Amino acid sequence: MLHSSSIVSSFSMSAWSRAVVRSSPGSRRSAAGLLVGLAVPPIGAAAAVGLVAYFLGAVLTVVWARWYSHIGYPLPYLVLAVASLGLFVAS
């Protein structure tokens, strides 16, 4: 069985960066929207809503699949997305 450190070290940096870049265009766009939202608040609020919806869908998919051992992967990101939405609404 391979350990995660051996898998990560076997990737070259360019392959690793390509894997991260291809990971999720929707969440990357929402994160960019949060940064733009610092200057234009309505865009930031829309991006925060998009992130909440995205990660809520991820959590619901894990629950629907009854793969409860993996709920810890999307749940912290959902909490951060809800917190960012709360900050945009409060400001």
Side-chain angles (χ1 to χ4, degrees), residues 26-46:
S27 64
R28 281 195 323 267
R29 288 185 193 123
S30 293
L34 286 176
L35 291 176
V36 171
L38 294 173
V40 184
I43 292 176

Side-chain angles (χ1 to χ4, degrees), residues 8 11-21:
V8 171
F11 280 2
S12 67
M13 191 53 157
S14 61
W16 181 256
S17 62
R18 281 194 305 264
V20 169
V21 168

